[in-house]
Amino acid sequence: MEKKVNYFVRWLIAIVALSISIMAFLSFFLAEPKYQITTGIITLIAIVVVLILSESFNNLSVGKILTLSNEVKKKDTEKETVKTENKELRQELFKIVSNIQQSQVNNTYNAPSDEWLKVLGVVKSEDSPEDEQEDQDEIKRAVQHLAERERSREKSRERNQNRRKAEQVALNKYFTQSSIPQSELIQRVEFSGSFDEIDPIMNRKIVFDGYLKSASNERFIEVIPNTNASLMYYDRLYVMLNKIHFYREAKKVNADLLLLIIDIEEIDEESKRPDRSERVFDFFQPAISNKLLKVEHLKISQKEIEELDENGQQRLL
């Protein structure tokens, strides 16, 4: 809106200046006598000059009587801005003063009394019989927890050792029942590094518990307690069979995996676990039909495990 007003004023000034110029021109050329510079012409020319200069300068004074200004509205706007800022500053100052006064009032009402401050201090704690008994009970519970955890770890180590011995007993028992010389067994074998070029799927290292080689067959042996035949182990068994299958196809030989599932007589009732090997025949029936997998069950008693320890000690002597 302000721009439109300025535009209108400028056009009005231009029209007035043009009209005055025409009047001065007519007075100079058409009036009688012609070509005389009269006082009126001089006045008209002065007015035109003033109008032209008013568009070029912010302030123009002629004899301290005529003053033209374009900054009146600008100054009014600045005054309004200053008034608004002063109002906002006064409001903020009022808020600060109010907060300070409220804080002083709160401190006055909430401050502790001098008598209370005098009795405030630190004293030595005296343990009551109940506290001492509670501390002793807590110590006993901690000791019992540590002892039970250590017993649990010891039983777990004992079970693992017992199962490793049972796996060795199972290998010995298999060779005794099969009339195969145990000297032909190679324990803990794996495929050589060149097998990585045969298996197009996985470069996973698989260790077998035993290996037998005859003129007509190569047999890999895996021993597992019946309690360890979980779904996770079946994935490992699948990888074993897959590698043996690639090995058999690459070398054009008869090769298979003998899975010895052993039922171990546990040391105590706490060590007993459910038999989890019943699914092996369902999951791996194709491998059994293709003569890639052979499954046998063996029972191992604690007496056989003890005899293994005794024979091992006699060999050391």
Side-chain angles (χ1 to χ4, degrees), residues 200-213:
I201 300 175
M202 180 185 293
N203 293 332
R204 179 179 174 181
K205 178 181 177 181
I206 295 294
V207 178
F208 299 93
D209 294 327
Y211 171 75
L212 284 173
K213 184 177 181 180

Side-chain angles (χ1 to χ4, degrees), residues 10-120:
R10 289 178 180 177
W11 272 103
L12 183 61
I13 293 173
I15 292 171
V16 172
L18 180 61
S19 300
I20 296 173
S21 300
I22 293 172
M23 291 173 62
F25 177 81
L26 293 175
S27 298
F28 183 73
F29 288 101
L30 299 180
E32 292 294 339
K34 296 182 179 180
Y35 311 118
Q36 281 188 345
I37 299 176
T38 63
T39 305
I41 293 175
I42 294 173
T43 303
L44 292 175
I45 293 173
I47 293 173
V48 171
V49 171
V50 169
L51 291 175
I52 294 174
L53 291 177
S54 67
E55 287 296 313
S56 301
F57 298 94
N58 289 329
N59 293 286
L60 179 63
S61 298
V62 178
K64 298 298 181 178
I65 298 174
L66 181 62
T67 301
L68 300 177
S69 176
N70 283 333
E71 291 189 350
V72 175
K73 293 184 178 180
K74 183 178 179 181
K75 294 296 182 180
D76 293 339
T77 303
E78 291 179 355
K79 289 180 181 179
E80 292 295 330
T81 303
V82 172
K83 289 181 180 179
T84 303
E85 292 179 352
N86 289 337
K87 183 178 180 181
E88 293 177 353
L89 290 174
R90 286 197 299 270
Q91 291 177 352
E92 293 295 328
L93 182 60
F94 177 76
K95 291 180 180 179
I96 294 173
V97 173
S98 298
N99 291 334
I100 294 174
Q101 292 177 350
Q102 185 65 34
S103 177
Q104 291 176 350
V105 171
N106 291 337
N107 291 335
T108 301
Y109 283 107
N110 297 330
S113 62
D114 295 338
E115 291 76 8
W116 187 84
L117 291 174
K118 290 179 181 179
V119 299
L120 178 64

